[in-house]
Amino acid sequence: MLVLAEEFKKDTDFSIIFVTNISDVSRDILSNYDFKHIQSPCNAGDINELEFFKNKDNLLSDRSVWILDSKRINRGYCESLKKYNQLIVLIDDELFRHYDCDLIINNNIYAKQSCYKNVDERKLLLGTEYNLIDKKYFFTNKDKVMNSLLITLGGEDPNNDTSWLIENFHEYLSENLVTIIVGPAHPDSERVVAVSKKYLSKAAIIFSPPDLSEYISCSTLVISAGGTTTYEVLAGQTHLACISLEEHQDKLIMNLVKEGLASALCFSDDRDVDIFRGKLKAFLRQQDTLMEHRSICEKYFRMCGAEKIMGRIKQLH
């Protein structure tokens, strides 16, 4: 969302306001930016929030662009907002919500027109060309460090799969220059440090970096969970192997594998150590085909899609 906000910022016809909700952690991130910010007293998707907006700076009095980026947004919320003659843009991710919006953005690689059978195709912006990846992630001619491996299993890594990976497969990982990312919500960072010192004593451990662009740009191999980081890795034209931590990540990983963009080390319901070992060994040999991989990545992630989205919104507004 911040990437799209930065694109709007270039246009003086728009003033930008972020709304965060009661349980929204993004307000901490917004404190690092100069965008106007309103704290809603409601949970995301609560129709009562519209009454708050009506009385707050007359936010519903003029026609504005409302970009909704929450899985809690439901049909009733969109229909109620429509009554105020607002232009509604819904960032849909993987839910395939058929709501009455002016635009629906689903930038997943598997998003197709057939997923929205009852929606006018003119209202759909589908596929990776509409990605909202920060421009700093996209590949430059900066040289990557050969045999460099980045391990990043999300901001949370709820089951501490980072430690599991190191403990079980360190003999293969140690053949590379390893960097390990420990996210801000990791349940046991001390254990990651302990097993790293024991098995990968030369590995660099990075705690809660503001973003991963610096580490992706110089790596030839990345092991990641099946979340948003996967697209950032592919924008950087780096070989990617995925560990699915949750069932909802399986679909994305399967489609990345299908398009030749990633390797799947395991899915959420399949953690056979011997199979995992074989797939890991095969993946670690892939950096020899980096140039071929770059051409595949460029097909799907040539540039940030924020400018295209902005252009379409301006046409409607």
Side-chain angles (χ1 to χ4, degrees):
M1 181 67 84
L2 283 166
V3 173
L4 193 53
E6 291 288 354
E7 194 66 37
F8 271 97
K9 191 177 179 181
K10 299 174 185 176
D11 194 316
T12 56
D13 291 338
F14 291 93
S15 59
I16 302 164
I17 302 173
F18 273 87
V19 176
T20 55
N21 299 94
I22 293 174
S23 59
D24 198 341
V25 297
S26 63
R27 59 179 175 268
D28 297 327
I29 299 172
L30 285 170
S31 63
N32 298 319
Y33 295 83
D34 60 354
F35 296 118
K36 183 177 179 180
H37 167 229
I38 294 174
Q39 176 70 52
S40 167
C42 304
N43 289 312
D46 186 343
I47 296 178
N48 294 320
E49 184 177 56
L50 301 183
E51 192 64 29
F52 167 76
F53 292 144
K54 185 177 178 180
N55 298 319
K56 179 71 175 178
D57 300 332
N58 295 316
L59 289 179
L60 296 175
S61 60
D62 298 320
R63 182 169 168 82
S64 300
V65 179
W66 288 74
I67 301 177
L68 309 178
D69 186 14
S70 171
K71 293 180 180 179
R72 294 184 177 181
I73 297 296
N74 56 34
R75 185 184 301 278
Y77 189 95
C78 292
E79 289 176 349
S80 297
L81 187 56
K82 263 289 189 184
K83 293 177 182 177
Y84 291 94
N85 192 34
Q86 302 300 305
L87 194 156
I88 303 175
V89 179
L90 178 68
I91 298 180
D92 196 30
D93 292 328
E94 68 230 21
L95 299 181
F96 303 120
R97 289 171 285 189
H98 296 203
Y99 297 168
D100 184 17
C101 303
D102 297 279
L103 277 181
I104 296 176
I105 302 169
N106 187 330
N107 51 33
N108 276 300
I109 194 168
Y110 51 79
K112 302 289 190 296
Q113 169 73 34
S114 58
C115 301
Y116 297 90
K117 293 181 180 178
N118 300 318
V119 180
D120 186 336
E121 64 179 347
R122 293 171 294 182
K123 293 184 176 184
L124 298 172
L125 300 180
L126 306 178
T128 56
E129 68 176 299
Y130 299 105
N131 74 78
L132 290 172
I133 303 168
D134 195 302
K135 293 177 181 178
K136 62 189 170 186
Y137 282 96
F138 285 83
F139 175 74
T140 64
N141 289 324
K142 179 179 178 180
D143 291 334
K144 292 182 178 291
V145 180
M146 294 304 293
N147 300 306
S148 54
L149 171 64
L150 176 65
I151 299 173
T152 172
L153 297 185
E156 188 176 358
D157 188 10
N159 298 314
N160 197 0
D161 285 301
T162 301
S163 293
W164 176 84
L165 180 66
I166 296 168
E167 286 179 305
N168 286 279
F169 309 104
H170 56 87
E171 66 266 38
Y172 310 109
L173 303 175
S174 62
E175 297 174 0
N176 300 272
L177 301 171
V178 179
T179 299
I180 301 164
I181 304 296
V182 179
H186 196 283
D188 194 353
S189 58
E190 291 182 359
R191 180 162 178 78
V192 175
V193 172
V195 298
S196 298
K197 286 183 176 179
K198 181 177 180 179
Y199 297 113
L200 297 173
S201 59
K202 295 182 180 180
I205 305 176
I206 310 297
F207 295 92
S208 306
D211 65 72
L212 299 178
S213 58
E214 173 187 349
Y215 307 101
I216 291 172
S217 66
C218 62
S219 299
T220 52
L221 302 165
V222 176
I223 297 176
S224 173
T228 56
T229 298
T230 57
Y231 286 163
E232 293 168 348
V233 172
L234 295 171
Q237 299 184 12
T238 301
H239 275 301
L240 170 67
C242 298
I243 298 176
S244 180
L245 305 184
E246 302 176 56
E247 185 178 353
H248 73 89
Q249 297 177 345
D250 290 344
K251 184 174 183 178
L252 172 58
I253 295 172
M254 284 188 287
N255 279 274
L256 292 178
V257 172
K258 178 183 175 182
E259 300 301 329
L261 288 163
S263 301
L265 296 179
C266 67
F267 292 101
S268 60
D269 60 350
D270 179 20
R271 189 64 69 87
D272 184 285
V273 173
D274 291 331
I275 294 174
F276 190 103
R277 181 181 294 108
K279 290 182 176 181
L280 178 63
K281 290 169 67 176
F283 169 69
L284 294 174
R285 294 193 294 267
Q286 285 188 0
Q287 58 189 326
D288 295 334
T289 62
L290 193 57
M291 292 303 295
E292 179 183 341
H293 180 66
R294 285 176 179 173
S295 65
I296 301 174
C297 291
E298 191 171 354
K299 175 183 175 183
Y300 293 95
F301 300 96
R302 184 180 295 273
M303 64 182 68
C304 175
E307 187 174 346
K308 283 188 175 183
I309 295 172
M310 172 73 169
R312 187 74 183 96
I313 290 173
K314 288 185 71 174
Q315 287 177 354
L316 295 172
H317 191 254

